[in-house]
Every structure is written in C-alpha cells, then in structure tokens.
Amino acid sequence: MAAVPSAVHLPRCVVSPTGRHSASLIFLHGSGHSGQGQREWIKHVLNQDLTFQHIKIIYPTAPSRPYTPLKGGLSNVWFDRFKISMDCPEHLESIDSMCQVLSGLVDEEVKTGIQKSRILIGGFSMGGCMAMHLAYRSHPDVAGVFVLSGFLNKASVVYQDLQQGGRMLPELFQCHGSADNLVLHAWGKETNSKLKSLGVSTTFHSLPNLNHELNKTELEKLKSWILTRLPGETDGQSE
C-alpha cells in the first residue's frame, strides 16, 4: 500500500484565538470524519465553538486512503489498521508516514513563533492514537497529549520507544465512555495504565453510559485541562 507523501498539504479548519495568539492546539478527528466535521460536532455538543482567548485550534483533515476495516474502501483516515483491535500489529508504514506529514503542521506553528511547549496534540478515537504516536515518538517536548475514546495496540511501538528512556514525557489526558462498543473502555484504560507504568503523568476519566461519542461533561473537562497546560499570559494583557 502506497505511503502518503510527507509533502502533502492537509486541508484544515482553524478557529482563531479571540485575543493574542500565544499557543496552538492540533485536534485530530476519528476515522472517516473531517476537520470541519470535528469542529461542528464539538460545536453541536457544547452549543458553541470551542474557543480560547490565546489558543489557535487547528482541525486538519486526513487524506483519503484505502482502509482495511472497510475492506479496502476509501476513507479519511490517519493510517491503516489490520483490524480494530488491541491484539494485532500496528500498520507502521502508514503511521510513520503520517507522523511525517503531521510534523509539518507542528513545524508550521513553530515557524510562526509558537514554542513546542505551547502546543497540544490530541484527538478523538483514531485521532487520539495518531496523537500519541506523533507526540511520544516525534515531538516529546509538546505541552501535552489528549485522547478521547482512543487506544494503542498492545505491542505498540510507542511503548517500545518509551522503554528506552531518556526523553521528555508529555502529560496525557484521557476520557473514555464506559459503554463504548467500538473502542472498548478497557482498551483505553489499559493504554493509560501502560503509559503511566512507563513514567507518563496521566489522567483518565471514565464517562458512565457514554458510547463511542463526545459529551458536554467530557469536553468541559478537556477545556479545563487545556487551560492548565496552556495558560494565558498573566502580565501585560490589558485590552
């Protein structure tokens, strides 16, 4: 299967800060979705856009590619999977290729003057998995990682890389619905426990009766965590 070229330009939907831009957040959608769709879904759940005075939110859209769980049908996915399960190998060719593409998005923010320590990376479902690969393997100096209803495979190369030690470990924020029947709650919990055992500072919120979806409680918890990792400026911010 052909890899996605690293020079690809990802379409993206951007929510600009209401004040001076001093931090950025990259939010990766789940399989088959889009950046614009992820923004609209959040807006529907919150009854308003997710916005901050100082944080720019970037919702990129994954390229369309053949996706094995759809029997090779085309879908907007960050990488391919052999199946939706913890108990299978990762499709590393497609994961590594997309890490290169998304690194370009991180680098764009750095070129505008945003420090890596003022960038958060996260996502929903497959987007959360992609975020963990991107941050823990390629950009360990970002401010943190958030994962909503996502997981890593049991033998993930992320765990293998972290076992080598000697690198920074961004803080992890996770939420997962207890009634999720696509990505099981136990998969998310096991991912969190494994990363914690490897030295990552983690938070895990179980959401009762929530299926493979977002809810307002979860997004409000996420917003509070975002502001702890990317606080606004305390001085010289008179408007």
Side-chain angles (χ1 to χ4, degrees), residues 149 175-186 204-213 215:
S149 306
C175 289
H176 212 117
S178 66
D180 195 328
N181 57 13
L182 179 65
V183 174
L184 301 185
H185 179 271
F204 188 91
H205 296 283
S206 295
L207 297 151
N209 306 314
L210 186 69
N211 205 318
H212 196 62
E213 56 193 337
N215 74 4

Side-chain angles (χ1 to χ4, degrees), residues 71-84:
K71 300 187 173 156
L74 294 177
S75 187
N76 290 344
V77 290
W78 299 110
F79 53 88
D80 198 10
R81 290 189 187 279
F82 295 107
K83 59 181 177 176
I84 302 172

Side-chain angles (χ1 to χ4, degrees), residues 149-199:
S149 306
F151 73 102
L152 289 171
N153 295 41
K154 279 189 176 176
S156 176
V157 71
V158 174
Y159 302 139
Q160 296 170 34
D161 281 10
L162 294 188
Q163 281 167 355
Q164 296 171 17
R167 66 175 68 197
M168 296 172 70
L169 298 171
E171 184 176 313
L172 174 66
F173 173 94
Q174 263 185 283
C175 289
H176 212 117
S178 66
D180 195 328
N181 57 13
L182 179 65
V183 174
L184 301 185
H185 179 271
W187 300 355
K189 187 69 176 166
E190 182 174 329
T191 297
N192 190 278
S193 297
K194 280 196 174 184
L195 289 171
K196 189 172 188 176
S197 75
L198 290 166

Side-chain angles (χ1 to χ4, degrees), residues 20-146:
R20 194 178 82 82
H21 177 207
S22 66
S24 295
L25 184 152
I26 298 171
F27 201 129
L28 305 178
H29 62 77
S31 61
H33 214 182
S34 68
Q36 181 65 37
Q38 185 65 60
R39 175 189 177 178
E40 289 172 358
W41 188 15
I42 290 171
K43 188 174 182 179
H44 173 73
V45 172
L46 291 177
N47 293 315
Q48 61 182 2
D49 252 325
L50 181 64
T51 56
F52 298 90
Q53 184 177 8
H54 59 291
I55 304 170
K56 175 167 87 173
I57 305 178
I58 305 159
Y59 297 99
T61 296
S64 178
R65 63 169 296 140
Y67 189 44
T68 299
L70 293 180
K71 300 187 173 156
L74 294 177
S75 187
N76 290 344
V77 290
W78 299 110
F79 53 88
D80 198 10
R81 290 189 187 279
F82 295 107
K83 59 181 177 176
I84 302 172
S85 168
M86 288 191 89
D87 299 311
C88 66
E90 294 174 309
H91 195 288
L92 274 180
E93 179 193 358
S94 58
I95 291 172
D96 290 349
S97 174
M98 187 50 62
C99 274
Q100 292 179 35
V101 174
L102 288 168
S103 287
L105 202 54
V106 174
D107 293 343
E108 283 178 31
E109 292 308 295
V110 172
K111 283 175 186 171
T112 69
I114 303 301
Q115 295 180 2
K116 282 264 202 86
S117 60
R118 297 284 291 167
I119 297 174
L120 285 175
I121 302 171
F124 178 78
S125 194
M126 171 184 273
C129 177
M130 188 72 241
M132 288 186 279
H133 276 274
L134 182 63
Y136 290 113
R137 297 175 60 209
S138 301
H139 299 280
D141 45 351
V142 295
V145 185
F146 63 92

